Amino acid sequence: MPRAPGAPRRPRRRPRGARPAPADSPLAGWKRWLWVGILVFAVLIGLPLAHALFGEVVALLGGMLLLGFLIGRWTAPRR
């Protein structure tokens, strides 16, 4: 059905789940490197601190749970 002259246009909607294109700048991926820095900090500072405070078993189990959760989140398919 053709549009009447002077009738307002309806805005087009993005498909559900569509994301805008990534920015073309050198700092576009800075969030990923922030998470890498957090992981490195947790391994180099958090694990020895947990080992000193709670013992070897708690440090190993906590580290495995945290690392497994983070790797699972980072490698999960995007929706």
Side-chain angles (χ1 to χ4, degrees):
M1 179 168 152
R3 207 170 45 90
R9 289 186 175 191
R10 292 191 317 183
R12 286 189 174 180
R13 292 185 183 178
R14 286 191 322 208
R16 181 175 279 205
R19 295 181 182 203
D24 293 333
S25 73
L27 297 176
W30 68 272
K31 285 185 180 180
R32 181 176 66 174
W33 289 108
L34 177 68
W35 284 110
V36 170
I38 289 171
L39 178 64
V40 169
F41 179 80
V43 169
L44 293 179
I45 304 298
L47 282 180
L49 187 63
H51 183 269
L53 293 176
F54 305 113
E56 186 173 354
V57 174
V58 173
L60 288 175
L61 289 176
M64 287 188 329
L65 286 173
L66 179 66
L67 185 63
F69 177 76
L70 289 176
I71 288 178
R73 292 286 297 164
W74 290 344
T75 57
R78 304 268 186 220
R79 290 187 203 179

